[in-house]
Amino acid sequence: MQVTLALDAMGGDEAPRIVVEGADIALTASQQRGISVRYQFFGDESRIERLLEAHPNLRGYVDLIHTDEHITDFSNPHLVLRRLPRSSMRLAIESVEQGEAQAVISAGNTGAYMALSKMILKTLAGIDRPAIAGPTPTLKGLSIMLDLGANIDRSPSTYFQLAVMGHFLAQRVLKIEQPSIGLLNIGSEEAKGGTLIQEAADFLRQEPALNFHGFIEGNDIHAGKVDVIVTDGFSGNISLKTGEGMVKFLAQVAQEAIQSTWRGKLAYLIAKPTLLSLKKRLDPRHYNGATLLGLKKIAIKSHGGTDSLGFSMAIQRAIDIVADKHVHSVGQDIEDFLVNKNIEE
Amino acid sequence: MQVTLALDAMGGDEAPRIVVEGADIALTASQQRGISVRYQFFGDESRIERLLEAHPNLRGYVDLIHTDEHITDFSNPHLVLRRLPRSSMRLAIESVEQGEAQAVISAGNTGAYMALSKMILKTLAGIDRPAIAGPTPTLKGLSIMLDLGANIDRSPSTYFQLAVMGHFLAQRVLKIEQPSIGLLNIGSEEAKGGTLIQEAADFLRQEPALNFHGFIEGNDIHAGKVDVIVTDGFSGNISLKTGEGMVKFLAQVAQEAIQSTWRGKLAYLIAKPTLLSLKKRLDPRHYNGATLLGLKKIAIKSHGGTDSLGFSMAIQRAIDIVADKHVHSVGQDIEDFLVNKNIEE
């Protein structure tokens, strides 16, 4: 199986280094799985060439397309659409649109990525705006949460579209026939959270194709109360990042406590293998690579602050989606459902 | 020093048991600190009397005011205002308004508590709606976060009022002369998060009396990036509860990992005292008891799902506020600032 990926080599706090290094890690991992990968790197040729010198094995799998323009975290997404016709992010997205690559990956400015992807790749019929969907570890395994920051608008139809997208993604990725869907609110009681979210819930209750659980609260996310967590991009992003920050906080507090007593230090030495495998399991880099859901083609968003390993996980998530026909067809599922629904109405 | 507290004995998932037991724990703790406490219990006399039988020491410090009416988590806050004139929550709040008690504590329906407190206790001059403010553990110590769920409205003036309230609370409670204030957003860059939150930030930047840091993200909360975290009640509540859920998730995952290997089990036995003190430090019950800020009198909100120890912490927080003249005057600080500001403009 041959997969070609378009990488925005200039996106992310540590780009282009993490992109080059991450691509090498993902290349090796894919070759071991019998998947043949080619990369298109879009960005500053001389900087990337210099980095590639340290990765001779990778060089033969890379096409380098030079551009001077790139989008920073401080770029205004709306200006980016009109100016910067040759930004590394934009060229990478266009490559997917033109069928040269099967998926695009960027760790760059989320707002610009969303706006450019929407304009160039187009949204699915029935979807107004794409959403960022990511896997969330829970006590029961994995759930899917969306939107994680693409779209801060709130309307009953936004929530409905998010629920439909989450439903089909969970069906394909989590292999659950009727995934349960929860709407994130500030109380699980029906009267809470304001008129808008109440209307959204009414809307979802009336849809027989969805297994709508009702409202859930923030503490239900990692308990695994539902398979799909639906929320607006503002609350979703804050929830995701609060959780990440809490993991770091707890890890540091626990480490300091253990290192503060001789009993703790001794116990650490004894349990080191167990603790290291626990650390690995909870490492947020392993959950890096969120899907820009609702587009006609595949776009993956990496955390901007990730490192090489984290970026390699985002690449591998793109490869998984391209290589898995079932997951690949999520977009078609969503479109079919929403178009048929519109015809019926 | 004599403190009289009005307790809504019927609020909370495990009420009235946790209220009676929590009151006993807080009574003992206060007596040890030389503070003399009296309680008014509002609720079902026969149920409370039965519970008090197991707490003979507490009985002499309790005035029991019977009522049949109480507010459930499913009560609509707006209907509660017009009906239920003798709900346990309402009577407790009225006792503070009439000067019979110095603070009210409830673990009941947040929306109803907010609406009743606002109507009966009145908001400070310059404050439109009260906010829930709570302490948040960080790598640097403690921060104050608000709003945690009182008010889901968003407007530049709401954020401004939250920042002013947080500023004065942090000054008094954290003893920081110029507490840094961060506005929670989905990106720390200035262009993110939509027009409304941008306007709120502009508003805050122009206020010389506040040490406005700018935007922060969810992962900055527990890192301790700022002393005061300002957000709307919807995002704040979701962030708070996501963090709580993450602590539970990590604790369970860590426990399972440690119990799964003989090395882990041995290490656990050795480090048990250290781990137990760590567990205690991270116990969310110790952070229970959020302040309903912006009211003319003192109202404390306990987590609805807390237990006796957690409820006792909420009572002790109320006692601390009543007993500490400095903290007591936060309301006056806020009012003076906002009224003077209005006169100047």
Side-chain angles (χ1 to χ4, degrees), chain A residues 27-92:
Chain A
L27 178 70
T28 307
S30 303
Q31 285 172 337
Q32 283 164 359
R33 292 163 63 205
I35 299 173
S36 162
V37 175
R38 276 205 73 80
Y39 295 116
Q40 299 178 318
F41 282 9
F42 295 87
D44 184 321
E45 188 165 20
S46 64
R47 286 180 70 189
I48 297 167
E49 281 290 10
R50 220 172 313 139
L51 288 162
L52 280 169
E53 281 167 21
H55 301 269
N57 174 49
L58 175 64
R59 191 61 192 90
Y61 298 90
V62 169
D63 296 315
L64 215 167
I65 300 99
H66 174 74
T67 178
D68 288 323
E69 292 177 6
H70 72 276
I71 292 165
T72 73
D73 264 358
F74 298 93
S75 306
N76 181 317
H78 300 289
L79 294 181
V80 158
L81 292 184
R82 282 179 280 142
R83 298 170 199 175
L84 296 183
R86 280 189 56 79
S87 70
S88 58
M89 185 189 279
R90 184 175 191 141
L91 294 181

Side-chain angles (χ1 to χ4, degrees), chain A residues 185-204:
Chain A
N185 195 354
I186 63 171
S188 50
E189 300 83 28
E190 301 209 351
K192 289 203 174 161
T195 320
L196 187 93
I197 202 155
Q198 294 297 334
E199 280 173 30
D202 287 342
F203 215 1
L204 286 167

